[in-house]
Each structure stands twice: as structure tokens, then as C-alpha cells.
Amino acid sequence: QVQLVESGGGLVQAGGSLRISCAASGRAASNYYLAWFRQSLGKEREFVAAISYTEGVADYADSVRGRFTISRDNSKNTIYLQMNSLQPDDTAVYSCAADDRPIVWLRRSPYTYWGQGTQVTVSP
């Protein structure tokens, strides 16, 4: 069992930056693939970024590549999502997810463990 708690969401103007965090706890949390997803009102949840548990290799959705950076600190069992050049379309609830199966790295789903999410709102 892995528990995930997000923090750092808030309101930011378009063009601004924000960093959100996800603290993982539980069994061997540092050995899990960790990812960020987001869901906007009326839309399906979408993949944002993921990071592997050893080499720290990252995977990004096309919509955020070059603007967002995912990183992890295994000593703190925490991942971060640095979001730059934010736009109103980035407004969503951002949730982190964890899983230890390689399939989630190949297919970007389905993750087993989820956090509650943190709201990110970008004003025009």
C-alpha cells in the first residue's frame, strides 16, 4: 500500500510558474513509478508526466513538454512538478499516481495508487 499526498496548488496568472509536490509513504515507495495526471472540469483525466524510480528518466505529454519538469527526491519519497509558462488551459486538479509495474511506464496507465489531488488555476 502506498499513500500519496499532493500540495502546492493555487492560483497563478497566465505566463507564471508554480511547483506542486507529492509525498509518497508506505511500502517501498521509492521503488515505484510516479506520475502526474490532471483533470479539468468536464474533461477526462489526462496524463501529464511520469518519472522512473531509478535513473530518473522522465516522460511527458506533448502538451506540457518543454514547459513542465518532473523530478523526484528519493531521500524524501517526494516528486515535484515544476510548471512554467502556465496557460488557462492548464487549469485542472493535478493528481499524482504510483505503481510498481513496468506496464504503466509503457502505456502511461493504469496506475494503482492515487492521491486526492491539488487544484491549479491559471487566470488569463
Side-chain angles (χ1 to χ4, degrees):
Q1 191 80 7
V2 176
Q3 294 79 41
L4 303 169
V5 179
E6 301 94 338
S7 61
L11 174 64
V12 63
Q13 287 189 329
S17 299
L18 198 65
R19 189 179 81 157
I20 56 178
S21 305
C22 173
S25 61
R27 184 169 58 93
S30 62
N31 293 333
Y32 280 63
Y33 296 98
L34 292 167
W36 288 101
F37 286 75
R38 66 186 182 185
Q39 187 167 20
S40 306
L41 212 57
K43 295 185 179 179
E44 291 188 356
R45 184 167 58 195
E46 64 172 344
F47 171 83
V48 175
I51 191 164
S52 66
Y53 59 87
T54 52
E55 300 87 5
V57 177
D59 178 31
Y60 295 96
D62 289 343
S63 59
V64 306
R65 186 176 292 112
R67 299 189 298 126
F68 292 9
T69 302
I70 188 172
S71 61
R72 70 189 294 162
D73 184 340
N74 283 341
S75 68
K76 298 180 180 179
N77 281 342
T78 299
I79 63 167
Y80 306 94
L81 187 68
Q82 176 67 43
M83 303 180 289
N84 299 328
S85 302
L86 283 161
Q87 299 302 318
D89 284 350
D90 295 315
T91 295
V93 173
Y94 284 72
S95 300
C96 67
D99 206 296
D100 62 352
R101 299 170 298 157
I103 191 173
V104 301
W105 185 255
L106 297 173
R107 298 185 180 179
R108 297 177 171 176
S109 69
Y111 281 79
T112 300
Y113 303 104
W114 292 86
Q116 298 279 22
T118 185
Q119 177 71 45
V120 172
T121 303
V122 184
S123 61

